[in-house]
Amino acid sequence: IKAEGMAGLATGLGPTAVGYFVQGWFKFGGVEFFKTKAAGFLGEEKAWQYRIPIYLGAAAGAEFIADIFLCPLEATRIRLVSNPSYASGLMTAFPKIIKQEGVVKGFYSGFGPILFKQVPYTMAKFAVQGWAAEQMYRAIRTSPDQASEGLKLTLALSSGVVAGVAAAIVSHPADTLLSLVNKEGAGGNGTIMQRLVVLAKESGFRKLCLTGLGPRCVMIGSLTAGQFAIFDTVMSLTGAQKFKFVDPASKIE
């Protein structure tokens, strides 16, 4: 702020906003798409039996696709934040990066590390949220079809908090490593994976898993709760139906 003023805080805001909007669109939509396709292929009974693996697989697939769209925008954001004079914004930075470095090197050099961080995070996020929501509905002896809109929103927020905390714990070691590897000279020379291995050995298991975990759980728990609440609200307002796994035993009178 002292060097650049308040405008410095907004550096890279364009690609950040666009990137995470696009990522969220493909992530939440993709999970619903893959869940529906997997359940249709397996049938209702098998889908219920294997719902956790379906959640995990759907989340991994959706995140992979979402990160294909996120990575160029994240690379642009990093370039603008590290060198504000590089370009005036997203629209001018994009063609400049392509011209200087090409699409693959310029936009996808960090694709592996992003997957390393985001895929486990998203798998935990959706699998735990689905499980937590299921347990909450069971505890109050109702179902999404019978619950009021207010109750659905409350449970979306509650299960989102649980999912966010779980996802934060699962992804924290990777997030810590990626934060360290972005520092100049960290991990020595070599490929990104070699440097990550060096940093993991230097940091130790305890530091990777616990340093900064509390604040991250609070932040990610709050954000995730909001994301699921917004998603469920938008689905309700547009009249779209969120896919639900159905226990065949519940249909037996």
Side-chain angles (χ1 to χ4, degrees):
I1 294 175
K2 183 178 180 180
E4 301 177 35
M6 292 301 294
L9 296 176
T11 303
L13 181 60
T16 299
V18 174
Y20 283 95
F21 175 81
V22 171
Q23 187 205 31
W25 179 279
F26 280 97
K27 184 187 297 187
F28 279 82
V31 168
E32 288 299 304
F33 173 80
F34 286 124
K35 281 195 304 182
T36 302
K37 292 299 182 182
F41 176 77
L42 292 173
E44 188 176 89
E45 186 174 345
K46 288 287 187 182
W48 172 259
Q49 183 180 352
Y50 295 110
R51 61 194 183 282
I52 299 301
I54 290 174
Y55 272 123
L56 294 171
E63 182 62 51
F64 182 88
I65 293 170
D67 287 344
I68 292 174
F69 293 91
L70 172 67
C71 204
L73 293 155
E74 182 69 2
T76 304
R77 180 192 70 82
I78 292 171
R79 186 67 57 91
L80 290 174
V81 170
S82 61
N83 183 10
S85 63
Y86 181 78
S88 59
L90 175 63
M91 299 308 295
T92 53
F94 242 65
K96 191 172 182 179
I97 293 172
I98 293 173
K99 184 179 180 179
Q100 291 180 346
E101 301 181 29
V103 173
V104 175
K105 183 180 179 182
F107 291 140
Y108 288 98
S109 295
F111 188 57
I114 283 181
L115 291 178
F116 177 62
K117 171 188 172 183
Q118 290 294 126
V119 170
Y121 166 82
T122 301
M123 291 171 71
K125 173 177 170 177
F126 282 93
V128 173
Q129 192 275 337
W131 174 84
E134 180 185 311
Q135 300 307 310
M136 290 175 186
Y137 277 110
R138 183 176 296 170
I140 59 177
R141 298 181 182 276
T142 189
S143 68
D145 295 330
Q146 299 171 333
S148 66
E149 292 302 319
L151 179 58
K152 288 180 184 178
L153 180 60
T154 299
L155 294 185
L157 285 166
S158 301
S159 59
V161 170
V162 176
V165 171
I169 293 170
V170 167
S171 64
H172 190 64
D175 189 70
T176 302
L177 278 176
L178 291 178
S179 297
L180 292 172
V181 82
N182 284 326
K183 296 178 181 178
E184 188 175 351
N189 300 317
T191 65
I192 187 74
M193 291 308 298
Q194 289 172 333
R195 292 170 61 205
L196 287 171
V197 170
V198 170
L199 287 170
K201 290 179 179 178
E202 289 177 352
S203 300
F205 181 80
R206 184 181 180 86
K207 182 179 178 181
L208 285 178
C209 295
L210 299 179
T211 301
L213 181 59
R216 179 171 166 80
C217 285
V218 173
M219 181 185 73
I220 300 299
S222 303
L223 287 173
T224 304
Q227 288 174 341
F228 279 106
I230 291 170
F231 179 66
D232 284 11
T233 299
V234 170
M235 294 285 282
S236 178
L237 291 174
T238 57
Q241 293 293 318
K242 187 176 178 180
F243 178 82
K244 305 177 188 70
F245 292 103
V246 178
D247 183 1
S250 66
K251 295 183 176 182
I252 302 174
E253 298 294 339

